[in-house]
Amino acid sequence: MNGLISFLFGGKNLLKISLLTQNIFQDLENKNTEAIITCAMIAAKEKDSTILFTPELSLQGFPNELEKPVSPIEPERINEIKKAAHQYEISIGFGYFEHQSGNIYNSYSIINPKGNTIGFQRKRKTFKYAKEDLYIKAATETKDFILEGMKTRIVICFGLRFPSLFQSESECPQLYIVPANWPKTRIHHWEALLIARAIETQAWIIGINRTKGIYNGHSLVINPNGEVVEKNNEGLLSFKIDAQMVSTLRKKFPIK
């Protein structure tokens, strides 16, 4: 499928990406960090990827019951991710609870091989159904950034239900990263909404989900035409996306 996309739309700017549909060990930061680092090594050395994405809260997991305050991530875990990004020369995206100015945020960072944060987003829409809003502060800003030449935005989990978080006063991003802990009971919502967001924005959408227990993976890569080109229920998936496809499609079929 990706070969056909490259043929039709040019294939000049291919991003080599891996995503981890992760079996997150609840609240076991050390074990989750080790799993991510191992996958970063495999993605870089065996799959030739330059980017690894993991799910929402991939270092800690979304609590089964949010009946009490959550603990922020230990700084040591983030330092370990930075060292791995540098060692294996790969950018790594990961999620965690962050303590800042007396508040706890559900945050997602992308660290490049130099150990610098190139992408960062706090969750804009907290999940009231699971009482996340009682303990997690919702962010008010969306921060776009450039990832290997592509204008990119992170929208965390529940934010997928809000089209406004995908829109832009200027040109929409070319790539949206949607890390999630999305349960299998509503997995049909997940797929439908990811496809809708891709069609609305004419952008690449990468949805990275958790697996095992109440989760069943279903990580998806969707092209700017709204077509599912990759699907993964567990483990590491490696693929390429064509940045040129976005501008070509938007020019051929303008919707703004």
Side-chain angles (χ1 to χ4, degrees):
M1 180 65 77
N2 278 326
L4 176 62
I5 292 167
S6 297
F7 174 76
L8 292 174
F9 291 90
K12 295 181 180 179
N13 303 301
L14 294 177
L15 275 69
K16 301 175 180 179
I17 301 172
S18 288
L19 64 81
L20 175 60
T21 305
Q22 185 179 351
N23 177 16
I24 300 174
F25 299 97
Q26 194 62 44
D27 301 321
L28 297 179
E29 299 175 9
N30 188 53
K31 196 169 184 178
N32 292 323
T33 303
E34 289 177 359
I36 291 170
I37 289 173
T38 297
C39 286
M41 177 186 66
I42 295 171
K45 291 189 174 184
E46 299 181 14
K47 306 298 183 180
D48 197 32
S49 295
T50 59
I51 307 166
L52 171 67
F53 294 124
T54 67
E56 173 192 26
L57 297 172
S58 53
L59 296 183
Q60 296 166 289
F62 195 94
N64 294 325
E65 294 183 4
L66 264 168
E67 300 290 348
K68 60 182 180 180
V70 298
S71 299
I73 193 70
E74 293 289 339
E76 181 183 351
R77 301 285 85 85
I78 294 180
N79 289 333
E80 289 173 0
I81 297 290
K82 289 181 177 180
K83 290 177 182 177
H86 176 71
Q87 180 178 358
Y88 302 121
E89 298 183 334
I90 187 171
S91 297
I92 303 174
F94 58 99
Y96 53 96
F97 286 121
E98 172 202 16
H99 183 265
Q100 182 67 34
S101 302
N103 295 308
I104 299 291
Y105 294 93
N106 181 336
S107 301
Y108 196 90
S109 292
I110 300 176
I111 304 293
N112 71 7
K114 294 183 179 180
N116 299 323
T117 301
I118 56 172
F120 174 76
Q121 183 64 52
R122 292 174 177 144
K123 194 172 187 177
R124 291 287 310 272
K125 299 291 184 177
T126 51
F127 191 31
K128 292 183 180 181
Y129 179 79
K131 301 181 181 180
E132 186 182 20
D133 60 309
L134 298 181
Y135 304 105
I136 308 301
K137 179 79 171 178
T140 58
E141 290 184 300
T142 294
K143 299 180 180 181
D144 294 341
F145 57 97
I146 303 299
L147 180 66
E148 297 196 13
M150 294 185 74
K151 184 179 180 182
T152 302
R153 180 178 300 177
I154 301 166
V155 179
I156 300 173
C157 201
F158 191 55
L160 177 61
R161 293 183 179 274
F162 300 85
S164 61
L165 295 186
F166 290 76
Q167 297 303 316
S168 178
E169 293 182 1
S170 58
E171 186 176 22
C172 285
Q174 300 161 290
L175 172 63
Y176 291 86
I177 309 303
V178 186
N181 280 201
W182 199 288
K184 56 188 174 185
T185 53
R186 293 181 292 278
I187 204 67
H188 59 294
H189 294 185
W190 165 255
E191 181 164 354
L193 291 168
L194 285 170
I195 292 172
R197 300 294 91 87
I199 293 171
E200 291 166 353
T201 61
Q202 296 179 306
W204 284 96
I205 304 282
I206 300 177
I208 315 101
N209 200 22
R210 180 178 179 177
T211 194
K212 299 296 184 184
I214 65 170
Y215 307 96
N216 66 342
H218 220 75
S219 294
L220 299 174
V221 181
I222 302 170
N223 72 22
N225 201 38
E227 299 163 321
V228 176
V229 296
E230 300 284 357
K231 182 181 291 187
N232 186 45
N233 289 330
E234 185 175 359
L236 199 63
L237 170 70
S238 299
F239 54 93
K240 298 176 183 178
I241 65 171
D242 187 353
Q244 186 64 36
M245 185 179 181
V246 178
S247 56
T248 301
L249 181 61
R250 289 176 179 176
K251 184 177 181 180
K252 286 185 175 181
F253 188 69
I255 59 175
K256 285 193 175 184

